Amino acid sequence: MKTKPQAAWVTVARNGPYLVSGVAALAKQIIENNAAGESIAWREGERYAVGDSYALCRCGTSQNKPFCDGSHSKTGFDGTETADRRPYVEQAEALEGPDMVLTDATALCAYARFCDRNGGVWRLIEQSDDPKVRRMLIEQTEHCPSGRLIVWKETNGEPAPLEPKLEPSIGLIEDTGQNVSGPLWLRGGIPVVAADGAQYEVRNRVALCRCGASKNKPFCDGSHASIGFRDD
């Protein structure tokens, strides 16, 4: 009988790497830009051969990126987790449109900039009763790797998030527009367990810091752009 693949999860090692357990594909995910330099789409790049357990660099100094080589112990990496552990909906601000709601948890911004196109999703939500605007709004928020931005639509009398269907996988974000390497992109509801054993809310999209500089560890706060982080 064929064994069913074990679901993946990620454990944050104290002042160390991300320990990945279970089966999840690992590949570069590249932000594509238009002529104006705006983020418009995702393209998959190099795929990595991995087993059902491995360690991914969290300090940003490994010489074997994206994998850990023990550099965190030599540099004295401080990986203290400071992120808000409340559920997303308790952290997010709700912006109401004519027939949809946009929630925005700014602390989770990974600086992918899909939200900025077409005047910004914060303007688009105000016109979301226009079918063309609604399509742009949904597309742009669904491209947000961290799930900072989510559009909600009432279904059967209850608000329901409009989330993209994502298979469990891990992406290594490459931001060609900024010429930097971005966060780890956990997709498809991969659980993240803190170093103290507590589990963060399981979400469809999560962006984890891998440059070591985030002030919102273990989540990305866009610091990779300001420090010019590269994984090559």
Side-chain angles (χ1 to χ4, degrees), residues 100-123:
M100 307 179 88
V101 174
L102 172 69
T103 50
D104 182 359
T106 56
L108 300 177
C109 181
Y111 197 59
R113 306 177 311 286
F114 289 98
C115 53
D116 294 333
R117 205 166 75 253
N118 299 311
V121 296
W122 305 273
R123 183 183 68 83

Side-chain angles (χ1 to χ4, degrees), residues 30-79:
I30 301 164
I31 297 175
E32 295 203 311
N33 302 278
N34 60 17
E38 298 171 315
S39 302
I40 59 170
W42 290 100
R43 173 173 59 85
E44 184 164 291
E46 178 185 0
R47 295 178 67 91
Y48 293 80
V50 293
D52 57 7
S53 63
Y54 53 95
L56 293 173
C57 177
R58 183 162 76 99
C59 69
T61 61
S62 172
Q63 299 303 303
N64 189 38
K65 298 182 188 73
F67 303 104
C68 173
D69 68 354
S71 291
H72 57 275
S73 61
K74 302 172 186 175
T75 61
F77 172 61
D78 181 359

